[in-house]
Amino acid sequence: MDPSPDDRTDHRTEIRDFLASRRAKIPPEQAGLPTSGRRRVPGLRREEVAVLAGVSTEWYTRLEKGHISGVSEDVLAAVAQALQLDEDERTYLFDLARAARPASRTPSRRKDVAVPPRVQWLLDSMTLSSAFVRNGRQDVIASNPLARALHAPVFESETTGQHGRPNIARYIFLDPGARRFFVDWDAAAVATAALLRAEAGREPHDRSLRGLIGELSTLSPDFRSQWAAHDVRIRHDGVKRLRHPEVGDLELTYQSLDLPLSHRAMHDLTLYTAEPGTTSEDRLKLLASLAATPVQATESTDQPR
């Protein structure tokens, strides 16, 4: 069964807005085109993208209106090159094209995946790194003690959902405390919205994801602004500055790695650590000690006297 008319309309809107937003970001001189004359639109015109991609203006106009089903991968690659898409944006465009193809049956509802014990053992073995697993909706579904201590404001937030699982996007956009915890809140907001945008391209029929995006769009003007930018991010790494309520300011490096728990659902393992010899390392070690103390205390009381 094909997607409903409303789904198709929403999908075409996503394609239209994404392509138009990328086109608007490219000044003519960056594409090697003449810049003489007054221009009515920022960036490239549709006919200029068509020339760069080697297709007709009519064809590209139809594509930008959302009619992407049946377009060959070679043509999509040419459009991606004309629009100077980066790797994540290119992947997103191909995901949109894949989702637009007629389905032989209604897509099965994606089920949440349980974290295998071996993954939890892996997390718990990392005593000097904060480590957690999250899904594409930004739900934290597994973590080690240091991750729970480091991200205590996130875990203890009123935005945390059922079973004590925080959602990073809800925390960033709906909890006022996020602006204190994330020193570079603006960068965190941009990255989080871009990660959700990539997940929406991968899983356009995920009702929980659509509900989350609708909730954030309704309650957060900042999220609405970031969502309208149509930025996409799949890979996530860099430096993050946190202001922790117990140990103070921390500057940490973080890296997200793909974690294949399911053939469908997207999961990643995110690690936070500090540069050796820095104040941040000392504070992270202190936090690790504080996180381990309750466990050690419990273990000591269990010993026979």
Side-chain angles (χ1 to χ4, degrees), residues 111-120 133 135 141-142 165 259-262 265 267:
K111 296 180 180 179
D112 289 335
V113 178
V115 177
R118 57 183 169 78
V119 173
Q120 187 62 58
V133 177
N135 60 24
I141 62 173
R165 288 183 176 179
L259 187 65
L261 299 182
S262 163
H267 296 86

Side-chain angles (χ1 to χ4, degrees), residues 160-194:
T160 295
Q162 297 177 347
H163 311 298
R165 288 183 176 179
N167 180 278
I168 296 173
R170 279 196 182 94
Y171 175 74
I172 286 176
F173 288 105
L174 300 184
D175 191 322
R179 293 177 183 268
R180 294 191 300 272
F181 181 59
F182 290 105
V183 175
D184 304 307
W185 181 89
D186 289 340
V190 169
T192 300

Side-chain angles (χ1 to χ4, degrees), residues 54-252:
V55 298
S56 69
T57 301
E58 292 76 14
W59 187 94
Y60 179 76
T61 299
R62 178 175 171 78
L63 175 64
E64 198 172 286
K65 288 182 178 179
H67 299 282
I68 201 171
S69 178
V71 176
S72 71
E73 291 190 359
D74 288 343
V75 172
L76 281 178
V79 170
Q81 184 174 356
L83 292 173
Q84 301 180 18
L85 302 187
D86 63 25
E87 183 179 351
D88 289 353
E89 292 169 332
R90 187 179 187 278
T91 299
Y92 179 68
L93 177 61
F94 275 75
D95 282 341
L96 292 176
R98 174 183 50 79
R101 297 187 187 111
S104 58
R105 58 185 178 84
T106 302
S108 59
R109 187 172 182 178
R110 187 174 62 170
K111 296 180 180 179
D112 289 335
V113 178
V115 177
R118 57 183 169 78
V119 173
Q120 187 62 58
W121 301 338
L122 172 67
L123 298 178
D124 291 339
S125 72
M126 301 179 188
T127 57
L128 292 181
S129 293
S130 162
F132 61 86
V133 177
R134 62 182 166 187
N135 60 24
R137 294 191 297 267
Q138 301 299 298
D139 298 317
V140 177
I141 62 173
S143 57
N144 68 358
L146 183 51
R148 293 188 290 274
L150 178 63
H151 291 86
V154 184
F155 279 83
E156 297 168 3
S157 170
E158 293 183 359
T159 63
T160 295
Q162 297 177 347
H163 311 298
R165 288 183 176 179
N167 180 278
I168 296 173
R170 279 196 182 94
Y171 175 74
I172 286 176
F173 288 105
L174 300 184
D175 191 322
R179 293 177 183 268
R180 294 191 300 272
F181 181 59
F182 290 105
V183 175
D184 304 307
W185 181 89
D186 289 340
V190 169
T192 300
L195 288 166
L196 285 179
R197 173 68 70 181
E199 178 69 0
R202 283 189 298 265
E203 295 290 345
H205 306 294
D206 185 333
R207 294 181 181 178
S208 296
L209 176 62
R210 293 172 67 176
L212 172 64
I213 293 168
E215 175 190 355
L216 296 177
S217 297
T218 299
L219 300 177
S220 172
D222 293 303
F223 179 80
R224 287 198 300 272
S225 176
Q226 293 301 330
W227 194 248
H230 283 266
D231 291 334
V232 179
R233 181 175 296 189
I234 297 174
R235 304 288 176 259
H236 198 37
D237 57 73
V239 175
K240 190 158 290 186
R241 296 188 297 159
L242 305 176
R243 181 160 292 132
H244 195 276
E246 290 190 63
V247 299
D249 288 356
L250 295 154
E251 184 172 293
L252 305 173

